[in-house]
Each structure stands twice: as C-alpha cells, then as structure tokens.
Amino acid sequence: MKWFESVARKLLERKGLQVIETGTSISGIPHIGNASDVIRGDAIRKALLEREADVDFIWVADDSDPFRKIPKGMAGLREYLGFPVKDIPDPEGCHGGFVDHYVEEFLSDLEEFGVEPRPYSATELYMCNAFHEEIETVLDRSGEIIEILNRFREDPLPEDTIFWSPVCENCGRIASTKPTDIDGLRVSYVCQDTEISGGRVKGCGFQGESDIREGKGKLPWRIEWAVRWKHFRVTCEPLGKEHASAGGSFWTSRIISKEILGWEPPLPVIYEFFTLNGEKISSSKGNVITLGDWLRICEPEVLKYFMYKRLNKQRDIKLSSIPSLVDEYDRAERIFFGMEDGDTKEGRMYEFSQIKKPEKLQVPYTLCAVLSQVVSDLNPDEITKRLERQGYVDYSRERLMKRIKLAGEWSRRYGPGCLKFRLIDEEKAEEVKKQLTADERMVLRGIADELDKDLNAEELHKRIYEISRENGVKPSMVFRALYNVLIGKNRGPKAALFILSLDTSFVRNRFK
Ligand SMILES: [Zn+2]
Ligand SMILES: [Zn+2]
C-alpha cells in the first residue's frame, strides 16, 4: 500500500466524518513547498473516498499572523513588518491586499492541479467569532494550558500569561502588542518595541483594550491549532517535520486538544520538506517556485506524482533536471497501462496524480523540448509526421501539444545549453562550410544519403559512426561539424534524434 492508503485505513478506525485540515502561512509568497501540504492532503481525501468514507477537506490561510520577513524584491513592504498579513497592501495593486492577491493565485493554481479544498481565512474566522466556545474554554483553563506549554519550554511562561495577541487599535500592528490584563473577554494591552525574525518592530506606545469577540487579534499558534481541530472536528492533519520535532507545536497542540478542549487530536501525517535547486525554499531569499511557475514548464500531474512518493525523505526540485523527473513519471505511466512490469505502487501514484481520465503520451520530455524549437509554428501535423519517423504513433495528441509547449518554455528558462538552439540560415551555414575539412564534408553528404532510408534513431546513430569511420574522421569531429552546420554550435541534442526531429529535406540540403 502507498502511504495515502495506509493513512486512509488508519483514519477509518475512527468513526464519523473525516476532516482533513491543511493550511498555509501567507507571510510570504505561497510556494510549491506550501502546496505539498494540500496536494498530499488531497491524496488522502481520494483514498478515503475510494473506501466510501464521508470526507471534508479544508484549507486555512494563516493570514492573521504577523508579517515577519520581507519577501525578496518587496522592500516597499518594510513598513508593514509586524502587521497582520491580512492588512498588508497588494504589492501589485490589483487586489484588496497582499493576502487576497496570493491566496487567489494559490487557490486557482491548485485548481489546475485538480485540488480544491474548502478555503477559510483565519482572520475571518476570528472576526465572525467562530471560535467563541473554544476561546472561552481556553481562557477559563489558562492555568492548565500554561502548565502544558511549560512542559515544552526552557523558560517557563509566567502564571499570568494571557493567551490573546491583540491588534493595536492605534498603529495596526500585532507583533508589538503586549497583553497586560484581562477582564472577561476584554484584554488590555500596551504597544511596545519588539524583535521579530525580520528585524525590530517599533511599538507606538498606545494602551488600549481588545474585545476578543470583535476578533481583532489572535490566539498563540499552539493554542489556535488545537482550537481549529476542535472547531472543525479535524481527524487528519498533514504537517511538515518542523512542527513535529521533539517539543514541536504539534505535540503541544495535541495535549491541549485532548486535555483542555476534549477533542481527540487528528492523526498526523508528517512529511519532509522540499528544497529548490539544493537550497531551502525561502521567499525572503528569493529561492521560490510557485505552482504557477511550475505550470508554465511542466504538467501538474508530474509534480503530484513527485509529491506522492515516500513522505519521510527530503526531496530536491532541481529545475535543470525536470526531464528526468518526467521520465520517471512516464515510466509509472507505462506500469499503469501495463506496458512495463514494475512496482504496482508506482502505478497507484500515477493514478492518484491524475486530474482527468488518464491518457498515454510516452513521448520523452527532452524530445518535446527539441521539437518545440524546430517545428515552425508548432504545426501539429508536422510534429506528428516527425514523431512517426521515430516510431511514436500511439499517444494523446492533446497531451503531446501541451508537453511540447511546456518543454519549450522549460528549455528557454532552465534548459542546459545543448538544448537551447536556433537553426542557422543559409548564409551563416556557408561560412561554417568553409571551415570544414573535405573529409568532414564527405561524411555529412554520406549522412544525407541515409535520410531517405526510413531509419529510426538508433539505426541512424549507428550509421553516423560507420560513415565516419569509413571516411577516416573521428566521430567526435563529425558531431561537431554536424551541430555547427545546423545550429552554429559545437554541441546539441542527441544527434540522430535531433536530425529525425528536423525537416528531412532541410537537413538533406544542408548536409549535401
Ligand atoms: Zn493583486
Ligand atoms: Zn501600536
């Protein structure tokens, strides 16, 4: 069984509605790492549905958190450090605010991945006083909660800790307010200087009162999480390893949920995080890839497949290696369609990554990257004709055309030099010709003669070597000549495959 199937089986030991909660911090640009939480939650949802369970799948935008770090390239937002993220303006000016802009983008991109959780905003939940029952319990039993939290802390919390972070009525910041007293549901506070990860936040000195029922503030994270579980009756929570380390928030929230709020805590599904090009994904450092970025270079199913692999292994998304990721996905596709023997789990992962009814493609991504650059206007008939020459006949044309566009975009942005090229014109080719030896020209003419023989890539590859030897030219020199004549470079895509992807009469004339 794949992990999502074992999770579903385990969940069903608990009776009633299954509620999978996912969530994303919006204090930076939501990226692929954030999406993995939701995309993996969706696999659990599907596995539960297969077992005919009632499932609710929710997503909460953590938009009442303080803005702690400035995303790279958004220095204009510096003055909003310490504000609830919900109150930061949209840096692009097209939405009501930063949160609206990125949440709308994130959710609509997720839809392209076939993932549609029911979305909530933490700010709106506080504003409509949705958690009033749970908050009353939290306040009534603050003493016990302090004791629970202290089990995990080196510096114990003072006995008079008040679990409410008010938004300052005067300056609008949330990071800088310090609660000083509580009377029923009214919390007095003072706004003072404070230090957060992104720098120092100045308090305005204001002293005010925050009525919890009005929702202008929030609970501390470890308590809020437990409150949400109780409120939404959450039974399953996928979470990143950082929350599940020893003393991590999950373990505290779990005790609060069970002992204070009386809700059996959700089953955790703990996953390792993703890195991007070998580095931590971070909006403040600018090392970010969003779902939207992915959709411009690769099929959504491939990323889902990648995310459905084992959870307890840290994975790197290396943008220059997208083709090998796609090759792996294509192999799972062959297993799914029974074209190749292999681990049935691969087939299941493939099946769970699908958004629509699965259709075969099996035209390598790298070949699509080449075709995208050599077929004028991406004419579908011409592409079909050239693929047929290489033995590709049975595939979904719609998927093919999509992959060609994506692979083309990928090679322009992230592809290696040998996959980025332009065919050179006659005039330039004339110049190249002058630099070739008589023997090299002889070999190219020889290759031109092979082009009418209906050879596949492997056969043509063999013939290039044979003709080189027959003429006493080193194959490496022949490849060099061949790429120079076609694209004016010393290197390029695999030669035989490349030649067969081009218009035959063009190559013939050029080589002759
Ligand atoms: Zn906008
Ligand atoms: Zn203030």
Side-chain angles (χ1 to χ4, degrees):
M1 270 199 286
K2 270 311 288 181
W3 62 267
F4 38 82
E5 298 176 294
S6 350
V7 167
R9 197 162 72 165
K10 189 106 211 296
L11 280 171
L12 289 174
E13 291 169 10
R14 187 169 177 172
K15 298 272 168 278
L17 177 70
Q18 296 294 337
V19 180
I20 307 162
E21 185 195 42
T22 57
T24 304
S25 156
I26 318 290
S27 65
I29 298 164
H31 49 69
I32 275 189
N34 302 128
S36 75
D37 189 60
V38 201
I39 289 178
R40 285 160 166 164
D42 191 56
I44 303 169
R45 181 190 68 90
K46 281 190 184 167
L48 281 167
L49 285 180
E50 270 189 352
R51 287 164 178 75
E52 293 177 350
D54 289 327
V55 192
D56 200 3
F57 177 37
I58 66 171
W59 175 80
V60 184
D62 292 325
D63 55 6
S64 55
D65 291 350
F67 183 46
R68 287 195 190 88
K69 269 189 181 171
I70 311 198
K72 196 174 178 188
M74 297 188 184
L77 295 178
R78 178 162 296 276
E79 58 180 302
Y80 292 97
L81 267 188
F83 274 74
V85 282
K86 183 77 179 174
D87 296 336
I88 309 174
D90 180 358
E92 298 187 26
C94 39
H95 292 79
F98 182 92
V99 167
D100 290 348
H101 182 99
Y102 289 107
V103 164
E104 188 185 298
E105 196 173 283
F106 187 63
L107 291 176
S108 69
D109 287 342
L110 271 176
E111 218 176 298
E112 302 276 316
F113 283 76
V115 176
E116 297 178 63
R118 186 206 308 267
Y120 289 94
S121 142
T123 306
E124 281 165 24
L125 288 164
Y126 281 115
M127 295 294 252
C128 71
N129 206 12
F131 303 136
H132 64 98
E133 275 176 33
E134 293 84 4
I135 290 180
E136 272 176 42
T137 313
V138 164
L139 297 177
D140 283 348
R141 301 180 65 180
S142 282
E144 291 163 79
I145 298 179
I146 292 169
E147 188 272 311
I148 293 169
L149 292 170
N150 282 345
R151 288 183 215 164
F152 299 89
R153 293 174 65 96
E154 260 176 44
D155 310 322
L157 290 170
E159 273 172 35
D160 56 355
T161 303
I162 297 164
F163 293 124
W164 182 251
S165 305
V167 174
C168 175
E169 198 187 320
N170 183 51
C171 71
R173 294 185 177 87
I174 188 170
S176 54
T177 53
K178 185 179 160 35
T180 50
D181 198 11
I182 181 160
D183 176 15
L185 290 165
R186 283 199 294 274
V187 175
S188 309
Y189 63 88
V190 56
C191 183
Q192 58 187 26
D193 293 0
T194 186
E195 204 66 54
I196 56 173
S197 49
R200 191 159 183 77
V201 171
K202 278 213 88 52
C204 69
F206 185 77
Q207 294 186 19
E209 204 177 68
S210 164
D211 188 324
I212 294 178
R213 284 164 293 196
E214 287 171 8
K216 290 176 189 150
K218 75 183 294 290
L219 293 165
W221 166 244
R222 290 171 190 239
I223 299 175
E224 180 183 301
W225 213 5
V227 159
R228 267 164 32 182
W229 292 341
K230 165 78 195 272
H231 178 78
F232 289 112
R233 312 180 73 77
V234 176
T235 59
C236 177
E237 177 85 38
L239 58 132
K241 210 182 80 172
E242 69 276 16
H243 294 296
S245 56
S249 50
F250 180 76
W251 308 113
T252 339
S253 302
R254 202 184 155 147
I255 302 173
I256 297 171
S257 177
K258 199 177 170 117
E259 293 182 8
I260 305 294
L261 300 167
W263 178 250
E264 181 60 35
L267 178 74
V269 180
I270 300 162
Y271 54 80
E272 272 280 358
F273 43 83
F274 285 95
T275 52
L276 175 63
N277 298 323
E279 305 272 341
K280 187 172 181 259
I281 302 184
S282 150
S283 347
S284 55
K285 293 208 172 75
N287 192 40
V288 164
I289 174 172
T290 64
L291 291 178
D293 295 332
W294 179 275
L295 289 169
R296 280 185 276 279
I297 56 168
C298 196
E299 295 126 295
E301 292 90 346
V302 175
L303 183 65
K304 289 172 87 177
Y305 174 83
F306 188 56
M307 287 182 170
Y308 293 163
K309 291 167 76 160
R310 259 191 321 137
L311 294 182
N312 52 3
K313 187 168 178 285
Q314 191 179 315
R315 290 182 196 287
D316 187 43
I317 299 173
K318 197 170 170 205
L319 293 175
S320 58
S321 305
I322 297 277
S324 50
L325 222 66
V326 182
D327 289 347
E328 197 187 317
Y329 173 83
D330 286 354
R331 179 168 179 272
E333 181 171 284
R334 292 194 292 280
I335 295 171
F336 176 80
F337 281 103
M339 301 156 74
E340 188 176 313
D341 288 336
D343 189 346
T344 50
K345 281 185 192 165
E346 305 277 315
R348 278 297 267 171
M349 274 156 54
Y350 174 86
E351 191 184 346
F352 268 66
S353 355
Q354 298 310 301
I355 299 160
K356 310 185 287 198
K357 192 170 169 284
E359 284 181 292
K360 254 184 299 187
L361 177 53
Q362 296 300 319
V363 178
Y365 185 84
T366 320
L367 176 56
C368 289
V370 171
L371 286 169
S372 74
Q373 296 170 78
V374 297
V375 179
S376 57
D377 305 330
L378 297 184
N379 181 306
D381 294 329
E382 190 55 39
I383 288 172
T384 313
K385 206 170 92 193
R386 293 189 197 177
L387 279 174
E388 206 179 312
R389 259 194 267 160
Q390 305 188 43
Y392 297 100
V393 283
D394 180 19
Y395 52 80
S396 149
R397 251 175 96 143
E398 192 190 329
R399 277 198 62 201
L400 171 73
M401 291 313 293
K402 194 174 160 197
R403 185 175 279 186
I404 287 179
K405 284 200 187 87
L406 295 167
E409 187 59 29
W410 166 81
S411 64
R412 272 186 291 280
R413 288 178 188 226
Y414 311 109
C418 64
L419 276 178
K420 277 185 207 154
F421 51 82
R422 281 179 87 114
L423 297 173
I424 58 172
D425 58 24
E426 275 309 317
E427 202 180 316
K428 243 177 143 202
E430 273 306 310
E431 279 172 41
V432 173
K433 197 172 104 179
K434 286 179 201 145
Q435 291 159 23
L436 300 179
T437 65
D439 291 339
E440 284 167 350
R441 285 188 232 170
M442 188 73 92
V443 176
L444 292 185
R445 277 197 293 270
I447 298 172
D449 290 333
E450 299 294 315
L451 296 178
D452 299 323
K453 297 184 184 163
D454 254 349
L455 302 178
N456 65 27
E458 205 179 315
E459 292 159 343
L460 179 60
H461 180 77
K462 232 174 95 189
R463 285 300 292 143
I464 296 175
Y465 273 86
E466 287 166 3
I467 300 168
S468 306
R469 267 185 232 112
E470 284 158 18
N471 290 278
V473 185
K474 271 200 197 151
S476 61
M477 295 311 284
V478 169
F479 288 120
R480 204 181 135 107
L482 172 160
Y483 292 126
N484 268 294
V485 161
L486 295 171
I487 56 178
K489 294 169 95 174
N490 291 336
R491 289 146 72 82
K494 281 186 191 159
L497 175 146
F498 184 43
I499 292 173
L500 291 178
S501 303
L502 297 169
D503 180 67
T504 313
S505 55
F506 164 80
V507 185
R508 196 190 301 111
N509 291 339
R510 184 62 58 92
F511 283 5
K512 288 259 181 194

